[in-house]
Amino acid sequence: MTTGTMIHPTAIVDPSAQIGDNVTIGAFSVIKNDTVIGSGTTIASHVVIDPFVTVGPDCTIFQYASVGAAPQDLKFHGEKTYLKIGRGTVIREFATINRGTGVGGGITEVGEENYLMAYVHVAHDCKTGRRVILANGSTLAGHIVLGDFVTVGGLVAIHQFVRVGNYSYIGGKSAAVKDVPPLAIAAGDRAKLHGLNKVGLERHNFSPAALSALKKAYRIFFRIGLTTNEAVERVKAGVEQVPEVMEFVEFIKSSSRGITR
């Protein structure tokens, strides 16, 4: 056994599992073959971690979570696919996270310092950035990409292949079926934009100059009835090209699914 690691006698840990130092595994948990559990991680009782899962260091997984089960996708035929959980992530009770599919890139990735609350579902081939919060009962369909510092409210459903930009906020009980641009608030069924995530941006110390430029860019894109191409040109000509504005514009230009408006 590695240094400082405590495994309850009733837990089942496959001999091929790589268990780091100072790991705790609770009663009746099952750690299957070809898994990696990073140092300092705590796994409560009745957790199942399926094959080909890597859990980073300093994670906390609460009771009854299902981590790395086969994807709920009819295109999956038992191929070897993966799930990676980033450092410092918290996974609460009854959360379910599925591995990737062969046709979808083969890996699901949960970023560092994520907080997945109870009953969250992260489907196959999703990717989340750093310090993402998924509130109770929120559901990610397959192939979704969430940027850094995204917050998703309770009971939110996000359609497959949707992207959600950095620092965005999706309000509770929403259904997001198109891309949500960075730095914005979306809510409703179907979700609509409700302005910039001003409170969140101020909490993350965005400068007044950046907030002012973003406000102008947001208005051009979503308040005066321009096409996307027209808005891009007007923002380039009339708004200071700070990095935040450039990110905002590039996200919208690169959308293949369409942008929430």
Side-chain angles (χ1 to χ4, degrees), residues 229-251:
N229 289 337
E230 290 170 341
V232 168
E233 294 305 314
R234 187 171 295 194
V235 168
K236 287 182 177 179
V239 179
E240 184 179 358
Q241 297 299 290
V242 296
E244 294 84 356
V245 168
M246 296 172 66
E247 175 188 352
F248 187 79
V249 171
E250 287 303 315
F251 184 98

Side-chain angles (χ1 to χ4, degrees), residues 52-66:
F52 314 122
V53 173
T54 297
V55 179
D58 302 318
C59 293
T60 304
I61 304 177
F62 281 72
Q63 54 269 27
Y64 301 105
S66 173

Side-chain angles (χ1 to χ4, degrees), residues 16-258:
S16 70
Q18 300 178 41
I19 310 297
D21 295 334
N22 300 308
V23 168
T24 299
I25 300 176
F28 302 105
S29 285
V30 178
I31 314 299
K32 296 186 181 180
N33 57 288
D34 300 292
T35 54
V36 178
I37 309 299
S39 297
T41 286
T42 297
I43 298 170
S45 64
H46 298 90
V47 171
V48 176
I49 299 182
D50 276 280
F52 314 122
V53 173
T54 297
V55 179
D58 302 318
C59 293
T60 304
I61 304 177
F62 281 72
Q63 54 269 27
Y64 301 105
S66 173
V67 180
Q72 300 175 94
D73 188 330
L74 296 177
K75 297 186 296 296
F76 180 75
H77 298 293
E79 61 268 26
K80 186 177 180 179
T81 59
Y82 300 90
L83 167 63
K84 181 179 180 181
I85 307 291
R87 175 190 59 81
T89 284
V90 176
I91 300 171
R92 294 298 306 241
E93 300 86 345
F94 299 100
T96 56
I97 311 171
N98 293 160
R99 302 196 306 274
T101 61
V103 298
I107 187 169
T108 303
E109 296 183 76
V110 176
E112 294 186 349
E113 300 180 75
N114 281 206
Y115 198 105
L116 279 56
M117 297 185 192
Y119 294 95
V120 159
H121 177 65
V122 178
H124 58 88
D125 306 296
C126 289
K127 292 178 171 57
T128 71
R130 182 169 175 264
R131 294 189 66 181
V132 167
I133 297 173
L134 301 178
N136 299 281
S138 56
T139 299
L140 306 187
H143 312 280
I144 288 168
V145 178
L146 304 185
D148 296 337
F149 299 97
V150 167
T151 298
V152 177
L155 304 175
V156 168
I158 303 181
H159 196 282
Q160 58 262 37
F161 294 101
V162 162
R163 300 180 305 150
V164 181
N166 297 335
Y167 296 96
S168 292
Y169 180 94
I170 301 179
K173 294 180 66 178
S174 297
V177 300
K178 294 186 177 182
D179 291 351
V180 177
L183 316 157
I185 292 176
D189 181 11
R190 299 301 194 254
K192 297 180 180 180
L193 294 185
H194 293 267
L196 293 173
N197 184 14
K198 184 179 178 182
V199 173
L201 300 182
E202 289 175 347
R203 287 175 177 171
H204 286 96
N205 299 315
F206 279 64
S207 69
L211 292 173
S212 177
L214 284 167
K215 185 177 180 179
K216 293 176 183 177
Y218 182 93
R219 181 178 181 275
I220 290 170
F221 270 102
F222 300 117
R223 290 287 186 261
I224 58 178
L226 300 177
T227 67
T228 296
N229 289 337
E230 290 170 341
V232 168
E233 294 305 314
R234 187 171 295 194
V235 168
K236 287 182 177 179
V239 179
E240 184 179 358
Q241 297 299 290
V242 296
E244 294 84 356
V245 168
M246 296 172 66
E247 175 188 352
F248 187 79
V249 171
E250 287 303 315
F251 184 98
I252 293 171
K253 286 172 57 180
S254 65
S255 176
S256 59
R257 184 163 180 83

